Amino acid sequence: MENAINRVLVLGGGQLGLMMAEAGARLGLVVDRYDPERAVLLPGTSDLPVPITWEECLQRYPVITVEREAFPDTGLSARLADSERCVARGALAVIPDRFDQKSMLDWLGIASAPWRTLERAEDLSAAMAEFSGVVVKARSGGYDGRGTWIVGDGGRLDAVPATELAGRAIIEKKIPFRRELSIVGARSTRGETLFYPLTRNWHVDGILRLSLAPANACVALQPRAEGILRRIMEELDYAGVMAVEFFEVDGELLVNEIAPRVHNSGHWTHEGADWSQFDLHVHALAGVPLHSLNVHGPSAMVNLIGTPFDQAWLQHPGVVHWYGKSVRPGRKVGHANLTAGTLEGLRNGLRAWADVLPEGFEAVLDSELGL
Ligand code: ATP
Ligand code: MG
């Protein structure tokens, strides 16, 4: 395929970059990865490390993208992230610090959970009195619920290390949401945008366990969600795939957080849509004209967390994606994607996965079915 750009460098050596490399190969685009922890290049989907210098990066890669928000300051990783070739440069200046991210949303007039800064330990009790339930979030470095403390109305604040967090955290109102949703979409280097349907996400203890798409009960919110993500991508002059997580409260969307990268809640697109979020990401970066997106009926993504590979999964309905990482409690080590003709069919398929899903997953399906 003829493209202006046929080489992309991903900053990060994890599974998201690996899936980008695989997608790139389908259209003849070379996607190599730079592992900042080991300061080496990993060509394509290979794990054979190659040392690389800044000069070589400049020669080989006209476009640099990222698969996460935070990097160790190895010199080269900081330079790559700050390079004019890095399409996430604007996003990396704002998103990793929740204070900057929330300030940007306020400034853009995009609704999110009301919030305060945690400057002194006393700010916590004041916010509790104001909000009747708080969520304390470290300004940077949190993920999968780590760095987050949820204290409901009447709950005890002593579990929050407020003195330690002073000056380094924000306090949000605990939102009594009905659903958690996300939108995944892309903006190309030509400024075109394209979006997947809203996805319903079920988090337990701060970690994503199940995604369902399209989020049928919320189709009316699609234009609003697209408008929010488009506005953020334009503001940050971003190219590639980005995701926004939302709380749905009384039919309104509140932004929870922004992820300037392909997103766990978009993994269903591998089998659930004709172009996956990884395809879309590399196409947007390579300047391939953005195309149509067909979704193949109700889809689900089940995260495989802290569990060894089980060969019995291969007999279950769906497709297993395994990341080949060492298994640790709470670590995302793979996911399974299911697609069915109807939500009832999806429910039957998901029952086979009940042993890796927390109790209560059928209630999430019920609420999508409007039961
Ligand atoms: P990720 O792994 O997606 O980056 P994270 O750990 O950085 O997540 P959040 O997405 O901000 O942090 O929070 C994790 C989960 O905690 C949310 O998906 C939601 O279930 C809950 N949560 C976060 N903020 C609030 C809030 N203000 N009100 C109610 N629940 C919240
Ligand atoms: Mg989140």
Side-chain angles (χ1 to χ4, degrees):
M1 210 177 74
E2 285 301 311
N3 292 304
I5 286 164
N6 60 6
R7 274 174 205 283
V8 172
L9 183 67
V10 183
L11 197 40
Q15 72 266 13
L16 299 179
L18 200 61
M19 292 189 262
M20 288 176 201
E22 186 199 24
R26 238 191 307 278
L27 277 191
L29 306 166
V30 173
V31 178
D32 294 336
R33 300 170 292 135
Y34 176 74
D35 180 343
E37 271 74 27
R38 294 193 286 160
V40 291
L41 183 79
L42 300 168
T45 56
S46 168
D47 67 349
L48 205 61
V50 177
I52 192 156
T53 63
W54 175 242
E55 288 68 30
E56 284 165 313
C57 286
L58 286 186
Q59 262 175 28
R60 276 182 72 82
Y61 304 101
V63 174
I64 300 164
T65 185
V66 299
E67 58 144 36
R68 52 175 146 129
E69 292 93 306
F71 302 97
D73 190 1
T74 59
L76 186 49
S77 64
R79 259 178 115 170
L80 291 169
D82 196 40
S83 163
E84 278 182 14
R85 296 183 186 205
C86 178
V87 291
R89 190 179 178 207
L92 292 178
V94 176
I95 307 298
D97 185 329
R98 287 190 190 269
F99 175 85
D100 296 334
Q101 187 181 143
K102 295 283 284 187
S103 302
M104 180 185 77
L105 290 169
D106 288 353
W107 180 73
L108 292 175
I110 297 173
S112 72
W115 65 292
R116 302 280 175 264
T117 51
L118 199 167
E119 297 299 337
R120 291 170 304 274
E122 307 85 84
D123 294 339
L124 191 54
S125 40
M128 190 65 167
E130 183 184 4
F131 293 147
S132 318
V134 293
V135 180
V136 179
K137 298 182 176 182
R139 279 175 60 162
S140 60
Y143 67 98
D144 289 348
R146 287 163 228 207
T148 299
W149 292 262
I150 301 183
V151 188
D153 196 8
R156 295 174 61 94
L157 291 173
D158 2 345
V160 184
T163 312
E164 199 185 305
L165 287 170
R168 299 194 301 111
I170 64 163
I171 312 168
E172 286 184 353
K173 177 180 163 66
K174 181 171 182 284
I175 302 297
F177 57 80
R178 186 157 51 164
R179 298 185 173 86
E180 289 193 77
L181 301 166
S182 60
I183 187 151
V184 175
R187 179 170 180 263
S188 76
T189 47
R190 304 154 164 238
E192 297 172 302
T193 53
L194 194 58
F195 302 91
Y196 290 101
L198 276 163
T199 298
R200 169 83 185 269
N201 299 316
W202 186 42
H203 295 86
V204 177
D205 297 331
I207 187 159
L208 180 64
R209 303 304 301 248
L210 173 69
S211 289
L212 298 170
N216 280 332
C218 301
V219 273
L221 295 170
Q222 182 76 21
R224 175 97 188 97
E226 290 184 9
I228 290 172
L229 177 51
R230 184 182 296 109
R231 180 75 188 87
I232 294 168
M233 292 194 290
E234 281 168 359
E235 174 66 23
L236 299 171
D237 193 21
Y238 181 83
V241 163
M242 187 181 275
V244 175
E245 296 179 9
F246 297 105
F247 301 124
E248 185 243 318
V249 203
D250 302 329
E252 296 291 329
L253 289 176
L254 288 183
V255 170
N256 172 28
E257 63 171 350
I258 305 165
R261 52 179 165 78
V262 291
H263 195 248
N264 194 178
S265 72
H267 285 1
W268 63 268
T269 60
H270 249 143
E271 276 74 33
D274 46 10
W275 297 104
S276 75
Q277 63 167 343
F278 305 96
D279 295 314
L280 198 53
H281 186 66
V282 293
H283 297 177
L285 299 185
V288 174
L290 290 189
H291 33 70
S292 63
L293 266 186
N294 293 304
V295 170
H296 307 150
S299 296
M301 190 271 329
V302 178
N303 264 337
L304 301 169
I305 296 168
T307 170
F309 189 89
D310 181 349
Q311 298 208 352
W313 294 336
L314 302 174
Q315 311 306 323
H316 291 358
V319 173
V320 178
H321 296 249
W322 187 250
Y323 310 150
K325 305 199 294 196
S326 55
V327 178
R328 285 202 295 268
R331 190 176 205 201
K332 291 175 182 167
V333 287
H335 65 272
N337 281 347
L338 289 81
T339 295
T342 61
L343 268 172
E344 271 309 332
L346 198 61
R347 180 203 294 275
N348 287 334
L350 278 170
R351 284 191 177 130
W353 293 94
D355 54 343
V356 291
L357 280 165
E359 245 173 74
F361 76 90
E362 295 220 28
V364 182
L365 282 154
D366 287 344
S367 71
E368 276 309 296
L369 285 163
L371 298 174

